[in-house]
Amino acid sequence: MAGRSENGMNLMSVGDGKVVLIAGGGKIYTDIAAKFVKSERSLDEIIASPYDKRLVYNIINSGHKAAVEFDYFIFGVEGYSRVTETQLVRKRIASYIIKSGRTDKKGKRSFDMVLPKGIRGLSLNFEIPIDRLRAKDGTPLGNLLKDLQPPDVDLQVEADLILRLIEAWYARGVEKSIPEEDLRYLKPQATEFKGLIGMNAHALMDWFAIRCCKNAQAEIRDMANKMLALCKEAAPDLFAQAGPNCRVL
């Protein structure tokens, strides 16, 4: 579940990502493309002819899927991490627009993170030299803890604390007028990305075969399965057999 930290950072879990189908489905163009290849009829006649579900199935089952490249789908995604963005853009037969991370927002940029649930509770005790610690008035804590042995203290560190420190560091950079395109180097791979994805049906089928598989990383598999569900709803004939290669037939 998503939750906002004390200083405004939105912490989401893997699986909270949202996928919206912006365009695609409804009228299917694969059967028009297939008819065009084999028919001697005029374009007007081909376009006006009834939709042929059987022809779509035959094209998909034949393995010759050039015709399915004429059906195009556009998705909007948000609530996914930069880890998944890196894997996503490896699919090159696609179009992407990623919301800019370098545009100067004058400190108003949403500082959102996506974490696997197992990481949220991971903690360790980190040894901090006392001479690095100060009270708010600048007094060295070593002066207040003279009898502490050994001369170090342990700080319990969890993922949430690390991210809050990075957020505070980022905000301090904004106060110091450091360009946000430079400050983004401080952000971890857990940083959320938002984007638009465009793929034709052929590219989507190939992508679903790999990314819906149980061997795929959990977050990109979540995205792929949500995209697949939308495609099956919008164009059931076209994606009737789409899914992971690892499924049991």
Side-chain angles (χ1 to χ4, degrees), residues 91-102:
K91 179 64 175 177
R92 293 316 313 153
I93 307 177
S95 299
Y96 306 100
I97 290 181
I98 307 299
K99 188 176 286 291
S100 173
R102 61 177 295 224

Side-chain angles (χ1 to χ4, degrees), residues 97-219:
I97 290 181
I98 307 299
K99 188 176 286 291
S100 173
R102 61 177 295 224
T103 304
D104 198 321
K105 298 286 186 179
K106 308 300 181 185
K108 296 181 180 179
R109 185 181 304 281
S110 178
F111 202 92
D112 299 334
M113 298 287 155
V114 182
L115 293 175
K117 292 179 180 177
I119 289 180
R120 296 282 289 271
L122 181 65
S123 66
L124 61 86
N125 289 336
F126 185 76
E127 199 172 87
I128 302 177
I130 293 179
D131 60 9
R132 298 294 298 274
L133 300 176
R134 297 285 187 276
K136 284 190 174 182
D137 64 2
T139 303
L141 284 188
N143 294 353
L144 306 175
L145 302 172
K146 294 178 180 178
D147 297 330
L148 186 65
Q149 295 293 330
D152 296 302
V153 294
D154 279 347
L155 173 67
Q156 187 172 357
V157 181
E158 297 181 351
D160 291 13
L161 175 59
I162 294 172
L163 295 177
R164 290 201 303 272
L165 287 170
I166 294 173
E167 182 182 18
W169 199 8
Y170 191 99
R172 182 61 171 167
V174 172
E175 290 175 8
K176 293 292 187 180
S177 299
I178 297 175
E180 290 192 61
E181 66 176 331
D182 293 341
L183 289 172
R184 64 180 173 159
Y185 282 79
L186 299 174
K187 289 190 171 183
Q189 289 198 88
T191 304
E192 181 202 17
F193 86 94
K194 299 178 182 180
L196 300 181
I197 305 166
M199 291 192 209
N200 65 48
H202 191 176
L204 280 167
M205 291 174 188
D206 291 342
W207 196 70
F208 292 147
I210 298 170
R211 295 305 189 182
C212 291
C213 178
K214 290 182 179 180
N215 290 328
Q217 190 260 348
E219 191 178 25

Side-chain angles (χ1 to χ4, degrees), residues 11-51:
L11 288 173
M12 294 168 280
S13 296
V14 168
D16 291 340
K18 180 179 180 181
V19 179
V20 176
L21 180 63
I22 296 174
K27 182 173 179 58
I28 300 301
Y29 296 94
T30 291
D31 78 317
I32 294 176
K35 290 171 185 174
F36 175 78
V37 172
K38 299 202 173 181
S39 175
E40 293 301 320
R41 291 179 293 173
S42 70
L43 279 172
D44 288 341
E45 289 178 303
I46 291 172
I47 293 170
S49 64
Y51 169 69

